[in-house]
Amino acid sequence: MSIRAVAAGAVVMVAAVAVSFSGQPWAHAEQGPPPRTLPSLKAWSPGGTGFSLGAHARVWYATEALRDTATDFAAALRSFTGNDVVAQEGSSGNPGDIALGTGSMPGAPEMPEAYRISIGETLDLRGADTAGAFYATSSALQLLRQRTTITGGTVIDWPQYRERGLMLDVGREFMPLDLLRAQIRRMGYLKLNLLHLHLSDTFGFRLESDRHPEITAAQHYSKQDIRDLVEYAARYQVEVMPEVDFPGHMNGILAAHPELKLRSADGRVSDAAIDIANPRAYDLMGDILDEFLPLFPGRYWHLGADEFLLDGTRVASFDEYSQLGEYARAAYGPQAQPVDAFLGLINWGADIVRAHGKRPRIWNDGLHTGAGTLTVGTDIVIDYWSKAGIPQLPLPFFGIARSPADLIAAGHDVRNASFTPAYYVAGGPTAAGNVPAPLAYQLWDPTLFVDGTRLTPDQNAHNLGSGLFVWCDDPTVRTPDQIAAAVTMPLRVTAQQTWGPPQAGSYLEFSALADAVGEPAA
């Protein structure tokens, strides 16, 4: 998804609508400064004997479910400290050893990602579940990388938001598997947990299709590639969420099916949009869903549903396509509006997603205030990126799209995918809207949406979180490696703001901390 026009003053606008992020004070902060990690820790109680990593330390893991986490943690400690650290099953240890386990987590909300670090002669890492145990190792690794001795005390930590993500636009710019794995390692190190892959767009459909081999791009991922990637991501507590965008942004699919392209009454043909009044369009889209939904074991499937009538740089009107109105009235009754053909398509796709045991998601811009006679299923998660809606000039800050608060009141969960500052666009005119990391750190948090509205605490309970959304509008501008390097600091800011307060001091302090914790082990 991208927009084709953007206000030159986008950064200024973000600053105008934003208010400063309000962190929460450290628990027991008056007793001493907390250990410093990225993202920062929720609660710290100093006291007792400090920990020093043993020259021949053991990482004792309590259950088989923690074996991989313990093994990876020990390998990373060897890499960063030079100490001879190995993983071993068991629950006892000598001074300088580390114990890894799971159990109850007093003082933290009941969630599997909560964890505790007890710092004494041994380092005790305990998660509410395996996810929390993994995040305990991420924090411990950052601490021991900075210094192999840690002041005595207790850390209790948990995320503010359920989703903390990275989206990669591999539909426009193919990204090699090694790069995807590197980003997964980076996500685990920063406690990010959702990798959203935008798998189909202008320049290709990136999945190997058995049912429709004609739509598969030359650069693509095999089904075994995806299985391996999903397994690799799970090791780092990262869920892979696929997106195949319907009914717009289908250039890579429609190049092989020009007969299904949307045609206006005056004969104009869209390369991006499929004709949802044509029954054969549903055959093709249904085949794609049925083939690939079983490939991804995660909880979600993203249907896209953005910018349906965006034709190049021109935004069309539903009234220009007489067949859409005819189809809507035939399918949904004489009172139906042309937009109901689009809303019905969303519900049709969502039914298929549910039948495969997953929860559907879409982008928000196709949901307009007062448009259509149909409503979309309230279990659909709405990724909120733009206020503009369609048909309208594609400027994301103003317009007729339903507000985040309205969608929540209707029963939806949302994710804050604000065009600014959650987007990073590599190439094209919309790259002018990229917000520098210092501004995002100082002025934004996931309660603040692109239209300038901020959710109340009650509303925010239905906000799953946010992420960094990396779009490759012009894939000739930067290589995948250059993109990965460019998003280093934005991704760190994303991790801090989605894990939640307190912040790690000023941006200069945050940047220095980021340098100190560095990148994860290869």
Side-chain angles (χ1 to χ4, degrees):
M1 179 180 61
S2 68
I3 61 172
R4 306 303 183 198
V6 63
V11 172
V12 175
M13 181 170 292
V14 169
V17 301
V19 300
S20 295
F21 179 82
S22 57
Q24 297 174 348
W26 290 104
H28 308 293
E30 72 280 358
Q31 297 179 26
R36 292 174 59 78
T37 63
L38 198 166
S40 55
L41 304 169
K42 284 287 194 304
W44 161 246
S45 300
T49 304
F51 174 78
S52 181
L53 182 67
H56 302 283
R58 296 291 181 267
V59 177
W60 298 91
Y61 58 92
T63 65
E64 181 64 23
L66 297 174
R67 177 191 292 273
D68 288 345
T69 295
T71 300
D72 292 345
F73 178 46
L77 284 173
R78 289 195 302 271
S79 173
F80 289 145
T81 69
N83 292 29
D84 178 25
V85 185
V86 297
Q88 186 169 333
E89 188 170 9
S91 57
S92 62
N94 298 317
D97 284 353
I98 301 171
L100 180 63
T102 57
S104 61
M105 203 59 51
E110 291 187 9
M111 57 177 61
E113 294 177 314
Y115 68 90
R116 184 185 70 220
I117 300 177
S118 300
I119 305 167
E121 288 189 342
T122 61
L123 192 64
D124 185 77
L125 312 180
R126 185 169 298 274
D129 205 336
T130 53
F134 174 83
Y135 291 142
T137 67
S138 295
S139 289
L141 183 59
Q142 291 188 11
L143 293 173
L144 292 167
R145 184 176 186 177
Q146 296 173 69
R147 189 177 180 184
T148 56
T149 60
I150 312 174
T151 302
T154 302
V155 166
I156 299 178
D157 200 16
W158 63 91
Q160 181 172 0
Y161 290 97
R162 288 168 278 176
E163 290 186 3
R164 309 171 302 279
L166 170 64
M167 193 222 74
L168 295 175
D169 177 10
V170 299
R172 290 191 182 87
E173 183 161 0
F174 181 78
M175 298 187 182
L177 285 166
D178 284 348
L179 184 141
L180 297 183
R181 285 190 285 265
Q183 297 314 300
I184 287 168
R185 293 193 298 273
R186 178 184 270 182
M187 292 175 71
Y189 196 56
L190 296 173
K191 305 184 181 74
L192 299 167
N193 64 358
L194 185 67
L195 177 61
H196 175 174
L197 295 179
H198 183 78
L199 289 160
S200 180
D201 211 300
T202 312
F203 302 112
F205 180 81
R206 303 299 184 184
L207 294 171
E208 175 189 45
S209 177
D210 298 323
R211 294 191 186 186
H212 290 280
E214 75 280 0
I215 71 174
T216 298
Q219 289 183 302
H220 64 270
Y221 308 108
S222 71
K223 291 183 177 178
Q224 191 58 49
D225 288 338
I226 294 297
R227 294 185 191 101
D228 292 344
L229 188 71
V230 167
E231 182 179 0
Y232 188 83
R235 194 173 182 117
Y236 294 87
Q237 299 300 319
V238 172
E239 179 178 352
V240 178
M241 179 174 73
E243 178 191 351
V244 175
D245 209 340
F246 298 151
H249 290 279
M250 292 185 65
N251 310 59
I253 295 170
L254 292 175
H257 288 276
E259 74 281 3
L260 298 181
K261 291 181 179 180
L262 184 65
R263 288 166 169 78
S264 66
D266 62 4
R268 189 174 57 258
V269 178
S270 171
D271 289 330
I274 197 167
D275 186 355
I276 57 176
N278 187 335
R280 291 182 59 199
Y282 293 84
D283 294 338
L284 177 60
M285 291 185 289
D287 283 349
I288 292 170
L289 290 172
D290 285 336
E291 180 175 5
F292 291 106
L293 272 160
L295 184 61
F296 293 88
R299 296 168 293 168
Y300 299 107
W301 180 277
H302 205 299
L303 291 162
D306 64 302
E307 297 181 327
F308 173 40
L309 297 184
L310 183 64
D311 187 4
T313 58
R314 179 180 179 277
V315 182
S317 164
F318 278 98
D319 293 335
E320 297 176 42
Y321 304 93
S322 57
Q323 72 271 36
L324 297 182
E326 293 169 2
Y327 175 86
R329 288 187 291 273
Y332 307 115
Q335 77 288 351
Q337 302 172 14
V339 71
D340 286 315
F342 170 74
L343 299 175
L345 177 279
I346 293 173
N347 285 333
W348 169 84
D351 284 342
I352 296 175
V353 172
R354 294 185 196 103
H356 285 266
K358 301 184 191 303
R359 189 176 181 187
R361 301 177 75 131
I362 62 172
W363 302 104
N364 79 288
D365 58 277
L367 306 180
H368 307 171
T369 302
T373 64
L374 301 182
T375 58
V376 299
T378 55
D379 66 321
I380 298 174
V381 176
I382 310 297
D383 286 336
Y384 202 100
W385 76 279
S386 173
K387 179 65 173 173
I390 53 173
Q392 189 169 330
L393 287 176
L395 295 173
F397 311 106
F398 314 101
I400 60 172
R402 295 171 66 181
S403 70
D406 179 36
L407 292 168
I408 290 169
H412 294 280
D413 286 332
V414 301
R415 176 173 60 157
N416 191 336
S418 295
F419 168 76
T420 51
Y423 274 24
Y424 176 86
V425 182
T430 52
N434 292 345
V435 174
L439 272 181
Y441 179 80
Q442 293 164 356
L443 299 176
W444 181 81
D445 71 86
T447 67
L448 180 65
F449 281 72
V450 67
D451 61 350
T453 62
R454 186 181 288 280
L455 297 180
T456 67
D458 286 345
Q459 292 167 338
N460 205 45
H462 298 279
N463 178 8
L464 298 180
S466 188
L468 180 67
F469 299 80
V470 179
W471 298 100
C472 305
D473 287 13
D474 184 350
T476 68
V477 171
R478 291 191 174 186
T479 67
D481 285 339
Q482 289 171 332
I483 292 170
V487 302
T488 299
M489 283 306 295
L491 195 63
R492 290 166 171 170
V493 170
T494 297
Q496 176 59 60
Q497 306 299 63
T498 55
W499 189 263
Q503 282 190 301
S506 68
Y507 182 77
L508 288 178
E509 293 171 304
F510 176 79
S511 180
L513 174 60
D515 288 341
V517 303
E519 290 289 295

